[in-house]
Amino acid sequence: MSEQDLKHFVPTPPRLPATNEQNLLRRIQKQCFNSIGNSLLTISVLVLIYYVAKSFLDWAVFNAVWNAATRRECMDISPDGACWAGVIDWFNGLIYGRYPDEEQWRVNGGVIMGLLWLLPLMTRRIAYRNSILISWITLYPFLGAYMFLGGTFGQDVGIIHMVFTSLAAGYFILLYLNWMLCAAGQSSLPEMVTPLTSRLIRRGQYMNGFLLVWAVLSILCGLVLAQVHLEPVPVDHWGGLFLTLIIASFAITMSIPVGILLALGRRSKLPVIHWLSMMLIELVRAVPLITVLFMAVTLLPIFLPSGAEPNKLSQVLFAVCLFAGAYMAENIRGGLQAIPDGQYEAAQTLGLGYWLTMGLIILPQAMRLMIPNIMTSFISMLKDTTLVSIIGLFDIMLMARNISNDKNWIGLHTEPLALISILFFVMCYGMSQYSLNLEKRLKAHRS
Amino acid sequence: MNFVSPSHPKPGIAHSIFSCLNKDSTRGVVIQAATLGLVLATLLYLFSNSAQNLDRLGLSFGFDFLQTTAGFDISWSLIAYDPSMSYWRVFLVGIVNTLFLSFCVIVFGTILGTIVGILRLSPNPLVSQLARCYVEVVRNVPLLIQIIFWFTTVFSALPPPRSGYGFAGLVFLNNRGFYMPSAVTDMSGWLIAAGSLILLGPLWFLLRGIRRQQRQNGSVSRSYRIAFALWGLVLCGMALIVGSSLRWSVPALQGFNIEGGMFLPSAFGAAFIAMTVYRSAAIAETVRAGMESISKGQHEAAATIGFSRFQTLRLILIPQAIRAIIPPLANSWLVATKDSSLAVAIGFPELVSVFMQTSVNQTGRAIEIIAMVMGFYIVVSLIISYLLNKYNAHMQFKAR
């Protein structure tokens, strides 16, 4: 065999480097039209999008009627367009339910106050963040309930409610006075009075000043509120988006403490507590929410002493709280399981007891780990509040269905449903995007 | 060395109690006893109240009402029902309707969800974004709104029976519901159920034996083949017997209504479509998460050995992804079963509607009825999670 017979290795010429021009047309061609099948798919999707968008926009915008007195008039103007006039006519009902028109400012006021209470939390660097959150959970409900329910202090409003409402109002004013003073570069109000109190009691100086200022403000608020007369609005007049938000925010806030207690109970080494928590969690999670709601509405009057029948809203809140707590407990348990043993041991080494270990070391980490799941639960709680319409609470869902029973707007189903669908979509999608954002931020913060 | 201090005072009784409480074991006992006592006391209080209230209302506790005649009609049921039947039958009707609805939703929701989940991963951005829009819109609007939307704006807006849609004279769609041909036999349901049990039982054992032999010897022995052929003969024989008594019932317009065939009410259609769509969005996300949990190396390896995209999906990705998908999928099916209770809002006669609403109103036996309904859901969720846990354990990697 000679040298020539041997095959020579001839390298293929090197491929040209990938062109760097990532222009739009090139990318579209590469991703959407790289094969016949894919091109067909792309074209059919485009056609589908065109037809759906066109028919929806035609119905909702171009052929829609915005101004009419009855549904018949709508039909006369444009038979195949949306009749938004009915929705606009009922808009107040959708938001406030059957809350009296002249008292609706109180709903706005109460809700705005609740939001303002939480506003300081948005500022990144603020002292006592937790106390603001805790006060919102424990005190704001009294103030909110007073705003929404109305009544005169000492007559319609019970003594405990009265005291807590005053405390809440006092705290709210203190919060904002402090904030304004700090913004103006002054020392906070409690710090100003601290020299006064420190002559009397030396221990816990700042706390004494704070308590003193809070007490004085609360008494002042109580005195002012006692002069005000708010027209009483009973719970069965509440409705619309307002009621939906009340139930949802109650479920969301109560699910955390209830869930934490149940999760800790389920992880407890004490068999009685372990089994009781587990039974409660599994029982509630195995049945649909609607059966829990029916149970609360039909069984609570039987199980409570005769005459002490709670109103429907309290029954629903009880059911929702139980339900949300059981689901949250499983989220939190997942977080607790993800915490390595070293953290418990380290806490033990420092000499922390059970509650301090949990409160300072374990739970904050567990909750942070579970933010996506917790937010998913919150979103589903918001969606699940629509179920209360089945047992006859006039939430936004039932208000939307009721429009079609109005004699002027008889049969107007689609438009109200479309409107509240969009509303729920905006709220839920916003929440899920916020949760993604939060997750990213906390991850960046950790690493 | 002995370190007994002679001046150490003897602890008092109060002190020894407190030091006892400081011990973990004692404290545990005390806490548990207190919790148990509190729970028992609350239960006792509630039950004594309920006894008083029931007395006041002239009711007694017991399940004897199940034997009494219900006396109200149910708009649609899969099993035979008429108002002269007992409450026990009402319970059964509710269960069967609930299970039928959730079964349909589970099957079609899983199929649709898998398709959407795979589309969501398409390299074509237009397709994946469309799938994403579908998922986001569907899962961010409450299910109840969707059910009512389908019921009021789609199914109720269909024309009445006389001017409804008909296809080839076999299938009809109008504002009452959906009609299709159905097979009717003269044999009782029990006979057919027993027959299929007799057929399916041996088949299961046969297939198991064949598979074991194939794995051990690489071939199947003759006796198994003969047994299999025999089984086939029995199948043909039974099919002949059943087929001879089989008639087709075809729906037809009679007067103002359509008679005959199988009927699905519009409430079923609305609930079914809304729940299938809603479930498919959740399952699509599960499928996507499962697919994305597979490392990129697997895609690349499949591409290296020249697999097409479809082959990659079928042979490489899905068998691995299924392990990550099964647990959340099981959860999704459970939720579908529980969600079927929402059909009460549009009057579909499922368990909550016929039993928890109508029957409670008729009899006032709230405690018993709610316990029965909750018991049913608990049993269903236990069964589903047991079966899927077994399947899950079967599918996971076996660690050796």
Side-chain angles (χ1 to χ4, degrees), chain A residues 31-32 38 41-42 45-46 48-49 270-273 276 283 285-288 290-292 294-295 298-299 301-306 327 383 386-387 389-390 397 401 413-414 417 420-421 424-425 428-429, chain B residues 28 31-32 35-36 39 45-47 49-50 53 56 123-127 130 132 136-137 139-142 144-145 148-149 152-153 278 338 341-342 344-345 352 356-357 366-367 370 373-374 377-378 381:
Chain A
Q31 286 177 330
C32 304
N38 209 0
L41 201 62
T42 306
V45 168
L46 282 176
L48 181 74
I49 291 174
L270 309 175
V272 170
I273 293 178
L276 281 177
L283 198 78
R285 276 164 46 89
V287 299
I290 188 71
T291 59
V292 181
F294 269 119
M295 185 193 79
T298 48
L299 286 194
I302 296 180
F303 279 123
L304 291 179
S306 56
Y327 274 80
K383 288 191 290 176
T386 49
L387 263 66
S389 64
I390 296 179
M397 178 83 215
R401 288 192 82 182
H413 292 291
T414 316
L417 282 176
I420 66 170
S421 304
F424 270 102
F425 176 78
C428 296
Y429 189 68
Chain B
I31 290 174
Q32 294 189 62
T35 318
L36 201 62
V39 170
Y45 172 72
L46 295 180
F47 278 113
N49 278 334
S50 69
N53 282 331
R56 198 164 46 83
N124 186 336
L126 218 53
V127 175
L130 187 73
R132 174 163 181 248
E136 292 291 354
V137 168
R139 71 174 185 168
N140 279 317
V141 174
L144 188 63
I145 294 183
I148 288 170
F149 177 84
T152 55
T153 71
Y278 191 76
K338 289 190 280 175
S341 60
L342 291 193
V344 62
V352 172
M356 228 169 173
Q357 237 179 4
I367 302 174
I370 286 175
V373 172
M374 289 194 158
Y377 281 108
I378 290 169
S381 71

Side-chain angles (χ1 to χ4, degrees), chain A residues 89-98 104 239-241 394 396 399:
Chain A
D89 194 30
W90 270 78
F91 192 72
N92 240 13
L94 282 176
I95 304 293
Y96 302 103
R98 296 179 295 164
Q104 282 168 5
L241 180 65
F394 280 86
I396 190 164
M399 290 307 292

Side-chain angles (χ1 to χ4, degrees), chain B residues 9 22 40 67 80 87 122 156 160 198 200 228 250 264 300 342 346 348 367 374-375 392:
Chain B
N22 265 335
L40 287 180
Q67 261 76 49
Y87 279 104
S122 161
S156 299
I198 290 168
L200 286 179
F228 200 70
V250 178
L264 293 172
E300 287 163 358
L342 291 193
I346 52 172
F348 178 70
I367 302 174
M374 289 194 158
N392 190 24

Side-chain angles (χ1 to χ4, degrees), chain A residues 31 79 85 94-95 115 118 127 149 167 189 200 253 325 356 366 426 438:
Chain A
Q31 286 177 330
L94 282 176
I95 304 293
L115 293 177
L118 287 177
L149 276 171
L167 284 176
L189 208 55
L200 300 170
T253 41
L356 284 178
V426 169
L438 194 67

